[in-house]
Amino acid sequence: VVAKTHNLVAFAALLTATVYYPPDKLTLATLILALVANVVGSLLPDIDQASNRLWDLLPGGDGLGKILKNIFLSHRTLSHSILGIYLVYKIVYWLLPKLFNPNFVDYQTIAIALLIGYMSHLAADGITEEGLPLLFPLKIKFGFPPIKSWRIKTGKWFEKYVVFSGVIVYLLGLILSKWMVILNILKMNIG
Ligand SMILES: [Zn+2]
């Protein structure tokens, strides 16, 4: 699934979680950082693809670099697995409290927004032909529907037109049906 679709799916997932489980408090800083974290989370699993060239520049290309590359970089391995989710969860909860002053931002909300983005990425990739190595390092791949030929091809017309517009329609429906809830979250919690 391409980045644009991942961003949209992640936002739809975040908004869904927000209207059904509204936060008790939400400062403007937290809201903005949560939106950014959601985008970051939605792209993070594909860092294996994006960073390929960076890893090539590492010294010792034959040794350590190659081993690391094999672990992290062949597309859709660790970053597209349950182990990957767990590691990101651990890193995020360790890192965010160090980055942000808890008096101004609620790092838990930001962490959840990032993880929602991350998991929505895996869910979206799960409907593609390639499937997901959820149990990495085991090589079994999972997908929905289970029959591979029924799944979509990444970046092709079905994703671009049917999946993308489908998510837009879902988002609009959610906003229209829950606009009072959304308004209240914005009104009561900011300012
Ligand atoms: Zn992916």
Side-chain angles (χ1 to χ4, degrees), residues 46 76 80 121 125:
D46 282 346
R76 291 197 187 174
H80 288 68
H121 178 116
D125 277 355

Side-chain angles (χ1 to χ4, degrees), residues 26 31 179-191:
L26 185 70
L31 174 69
W179 71 274
M180 282 301 285
V181 182
I182 295 169
L183 217 65
N184 275 333
I185 294 168
L186 293 174
K187 240 184 0 202
M188 288 166 65
N189 296 308
I190 295 170

Side-chain angles (χ1 to χ4, degrees), residues 45 78-92 115 118-119 122 134:
L78 175 66
S79 65
H80 288 68
S81 69
I82 292 168
L83 183 61
I85 297 174
Y86 178 74
L87 289 175
V88 169
Y89 162 82
K90 281 288 178 194
I91 292 168
V92 161
L115 289 168
Y118 198 97
M119 288 190 277
L122 301 201
L134 281 179

